Amino acid sequence: RLILNEAELIMALAQEFQMRVVTVSLEEQSFSSIIQVISGAFMLVSMHGAQLITSLFLPRAATVVELFPFAVNPEQYTPYKTLTSLPGMELHYVSWRNTKEENTVIHPQRPWEQGGIAHLEKEEQERIMASKDVPRHLCCRNPEWLFRIYQDTLVDIPSFLGVLREAMKTKPNLKKVKIASTVHPGRVREACCQTSVQTPNEAKLTVSWQIPWNLKYLKVREVKYEVWIQEQGENT
């Protein structure tokens, strides 16, 4: 689901906000380098997709702009809108939907899991091609949903900027609100206990672990670990 005029969209964003715009690639960049870029971003713009989970690492008061292909209703696909509204996230959410069928490129001959519909009966193919709005459905294997979500999109810059300008007018002011870090350390990994006998009257207990994977991305000065030892039975 490509943005066909990505370069034009980048230029429009740079001119609108007078800020540097960079792209990140899940295929070409490491996860840590992507997090480093996003953690310092003012805004994250992306087509609907799993890559938007990286909005977890945006700084508070940042904006998430989710783009939807033709015939896909943003009101029916809201996991990232919900994510931005969770307590402590403090993110501003905006959605843009392509309403011009001529600005979309379809791929009916692809495999079914990438939106292809060539395996369906001719009447069903024609119905899906003529549909202007994906109906509500229960399963992500729905062929009409896959067909539309895997379209490539030519983003209409004037309508996109119009939606963005209106949304920025309603963006809440978070400067006066003091909030703790929105991301907390994950669990420790590979926790291990080892015992050894030093002398007939002395034993040694060693506890070790790997730090949480996301600790290096948190802006904290000090981290404390707490180890609890519970005695069970007698003489153990």
Side-chain angles (χ1 to χ4, degrees):
R1 72 201 68 156
L2 301 177
I3 298 174
L4 296 174
N5 56 337
E6 186 177 277
E8 184 184 3
L9 182 62
I10 289 172
M11 289 295 295
L13 284 166
Q15 292 173 2
E16 180 73 17
F17 295 100
Q18 296 298 302
M19 296 184 74
R20 186 167 65 101
V21 180
V22 298
T23 59
V24 295
S25 169
L26 299 179
E27 290 78 21
E28 299 174 4
Q29 292 174 250
S30 67
F31 186 51
S32 58
S33 68
I34 291 173
I35 291 175
Q36 187 175 14
V37 171
I38 290 177
S39 63
F42 163 77
M43 179 182 295
L44 175 62
V45 181
S46 172
M47 294 298 296
H48 171 83
Q51 69 281 353
L52 271 166
I53 198 66
T54 55
S55 58
L56 277 168
F57 300 98
L58 283 167
R60 53 185 291 269
T63 299
V64 176
V65 185
E66 185 174 11
L67 312 180
F68 288 86
F70 177 77
V72 179
N73 187 346
E75 295 303 316
Q76 296 182 19
Y77 307 96
T78 59
Y80 306 110
K81 181 179 181 180
T82 301
L83 175 63
T84 61
S85 66
L86 292 176
M89 290 301 295
E90 302 298 332
L91 298 175
H92 186 50
Y93 177 85
V94 182
S95 67
W96 174 86
R97 176 183 183 180
N98 176 27
T99 58
K100 298 182 177 181
E101 191 169 9
E102 65 271 20
N103 284 357
T104 192
V105 175
I106 58 176
H107 302 281
Q109 300 303 320
R110 282 182 175 176
W112 72 266
E113 66 272 16
Q114 296 177 17
I117 57 174
H119 64 289
L120 300 174
E121 296 290 339
K122 185 177 179 181
E123 292 77 10
E124 180 65 3
Q125 292 185 44
E126 291 174 351
R127 184 195 67 79
I128 290 175
M129 297 272 283
S131 174
K132 309 299 183 186
D133 200 2
V134 176
R136 289 185 179 274
H137 55 93
L138 294 177
C139 180
C140 56
R141 296 168 66 94
N142 179 283
E144 187 168 349
W145 151 252
L146 290 171
F147 174 71
R148 289 303 184 185
I149 200 60
Y150 276 104
Q151 297 170 116
D152 296 332
T153 301
L154 185 76
V155 176
D156 181 68
I157 301 299
S159 72
F160 171 78
L161 290 179
V163 167
L164 208 51
R165 287 168 186 149
E166 285 301 311
M168 298 307 282
K169 292 178 182 178
T170 62
K171 184 174 182 178
N173 185 356
L174 299 174
K175 293 181 179 180
K176 297 180 180 179
V177 182
K178 186 176 181 181
I179 298 178
S181 173
T182 58
V183 181
H184 301 280
R187 293 185 176 187
V188 297
R189 300 166 295 161
E190 302 177 24
C192 180
C193 289
Q194 291 182 319
T195 59
S196 59
V197 177
Q198 305 296 307
T199 68
N201 297 317
E202 182 183 355
K204 183 178 181 181
L205 173 65
T206 303
V207 182
S208 62
W209 60 86
Q210 294 292 322
I211 66 171
W213 73 272
N214 64 341
L215 192 60
K216 59 185 177 182
Y217 304 115
L218 304 184
K219 298 175 182 179
V220 293
R221 295 180 181 177
E222 183 180 21
V223 178
K224 294 181 180 180
Y225 296 93
E226 196 171 59
V227 179
W228 288 32
I229 300 174
Q230 182 177 12
E231 191 172 358
Q232 295 182 345
E234 296 183 6
N235 301 321
T236 58

